[in-house]
């Protein structure tokens, strides 16, 4: 019987890993659809090769820094260059667990690269992918998931609102500051122009793929299937996403006079990000509330980021940053005594302010670490490399041609060139 349970749990972890890796396809559609046609091939390609870099770095040092033994305040110090060995006495395959955790590291990096969109050099992607995967994500993950000091304080983050989403968003924030806004985004008087994405259908399909992949993200984080608890986690995940989509649509309708589709799509993602920390710790009605708040929060966060003259092409700061903070704090409010297997119950369940304080501390320290280290790395890269950003001419032409020498949509662009020649 134990062998059967071991096998089922291992299959479940691998299925979760596959679903989370498949979320990269969702990000390709989301980011490409939300930006301009002239950069679509570049966006799709860099997502694949940076996941490849993340995979190698996680195998070499990332896994060891997060889960290794004999660690210090920052990281673990064993299990580098993971060999695929199995630990006896585990209820699932260690190799399957490695693949599952690798998938999460790749997602955080992809979120970070949202801040580079439509203006970052390809070489900047390559170098930052290596350094983020070695020095930024593993440290935060070790603190919370690898038995580090935040774990000792009872920090609740079931599937990564802080570890994955806030970490990636803070790196994206550092990038947006140093890269500066895209050409034409802001006017001299400070007003903003809409730079519309080229394919709203791609964006919607990307959100749907991410929504499905999130069942691997959250429900897969139970690691086991024998108690059936993954179904409850999936339920909480789904209703939070639905609530986020609905509240974002309604608030945009009220404020703008029209129901804005991109806002609604970001509301669904914000609900998913927010419930990621608390999906195993809260009752279903609370998951709905968390999603509703996230949908409203992402709308106003997007407005605030733009007002601050920060150009965030795929809204990483709002969807993954603001919603990640809210989701992490929400466990300090709604975690129940029965479900709080980590830390203490939330404020609304008699736990007082203790757990809420732990959650706030985790958000502040983890977010600050990810932002400061990302900023320092990118600042040094900018000085050494002569800039992180492509030239004005290359930005106007588009990164498909300037960085790769080919079109993501060859028929569309070559037809235009032929028309110019014939005229």
């Amino acid at each position: 019987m134990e062998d059967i349970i071991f096998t089922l749990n291992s299959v479940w972890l691998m299925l979760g890993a596959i679903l989370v890796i498949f979320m990269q396809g969702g990000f390709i559609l989301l980011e490409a659809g939300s930006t301009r046609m002239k950069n679509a091939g570049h966006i799709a390609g860099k997502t694949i090769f940076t996941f490849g870099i993340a995979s190698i770095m996680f195998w070499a040092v990332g896994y060891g820094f997060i889960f290794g033994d004999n660690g210090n305040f920052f990281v673990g110090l064993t299990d580098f260059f993971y060999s695929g060995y199995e630990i006896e006495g585990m209820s699932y395959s260690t190799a399957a667990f490695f693949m599952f955790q690798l998938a999460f590291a790749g997602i955080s990096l992809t979120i970070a690269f949202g801040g580079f969109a439509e203006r970052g050099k390809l070489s900047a992607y390559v170098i930052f992918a290596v350094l983020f995967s070695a020095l930024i994500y593993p440290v935060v993950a070790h603190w919370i998931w690898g038995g580090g000091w935040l774990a000792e304080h009872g920090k609740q983050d079931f599937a990564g609102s802080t570890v994955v989403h806030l970490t990636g968003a803070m790196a994206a924030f550092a990038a947006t500051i140093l890269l500066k806004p895209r050409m034409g985004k802001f006017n001299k008087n400070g007003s903003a122009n809409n730079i519309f994405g080229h394919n709203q259908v791609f964006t919607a399909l990307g959100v749907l793929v991410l929504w499905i992949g999130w069942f691997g993200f959250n429900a897969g984080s139970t690691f086991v299937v024998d108690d059936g608890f993954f179904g409850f986690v999936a339920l909480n995940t789904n209703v939070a996403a639905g609530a986020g989509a609905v509240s974002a649509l309604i608030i945009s309708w009220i404020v703008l006079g029209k129901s804005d589709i991109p806002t609604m799509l970001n509301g669904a993602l914000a609900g998913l990000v927010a419930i990621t920390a608390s999906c195993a710790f809260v009752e279903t009605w609370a998951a709905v509330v968390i999603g509703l708040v996230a949908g409203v929060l992402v709308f106003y966060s997007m407005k605030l980021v733009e007002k601050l003259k920060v150009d965030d092409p795929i809204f990483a700061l709002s969807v993954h940053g603001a919603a990640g903070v809210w989701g992490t704090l929400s466990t300090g409010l709604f975690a129940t005594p029965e479900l709080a297997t980590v830390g203490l119950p939330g404020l609304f369940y008699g736990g007082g302010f203790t757990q809420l304080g732990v959650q706030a501390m985790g958000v502040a320290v983890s977010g600050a670490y990810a932002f400061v280290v990302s900023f320092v790395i990118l600042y040094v890269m900018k000085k050494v490399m002569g800039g992180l950003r492509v030239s004005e001419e290359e930005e106007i032409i588009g990164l498909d041609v300037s960085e790769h020498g080919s079109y993501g949509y060859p028929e569309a662009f070559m037809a235009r060139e032929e028309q110019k020649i014939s005229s």
Side-chain angles (χ1 to χ4, degrees), residues 146-161:
W149 69 277
L150 283 174
E152 293 176 354
H153 281 83
K155 171 75 162 62
Q156 295 169 342
D157 190 12
F158 187 73
S161 288

Side-chain angles (χ1 to χ4, degrees), residues 10 19 40 47 57 77 157 175 187 190 207-208 227 234 312 321 363 372 399:
S10 300
L19 284 170
T47 303
M57 293 305 300
L77 293 174
D157 190 12
N187 301 311
V207 171
L208 180 60
D227 59 1
D312 182 17
V363 164
V372 170
L399 275 63

Side-chain angles (χ1 to χ4, degrees), residues 1 15 31 43 67 87 102 136 210 215 217 262 283 372 423:
M1 186 64 180
L15 176 60
E31 190 172 340
I43 285 168
F67 298 106
I87 300 175
L102 158 64
I136 300 172
L210 290 168
F215 295 120
F217 212 94
E283 295 178 346
V372 170
S423 62

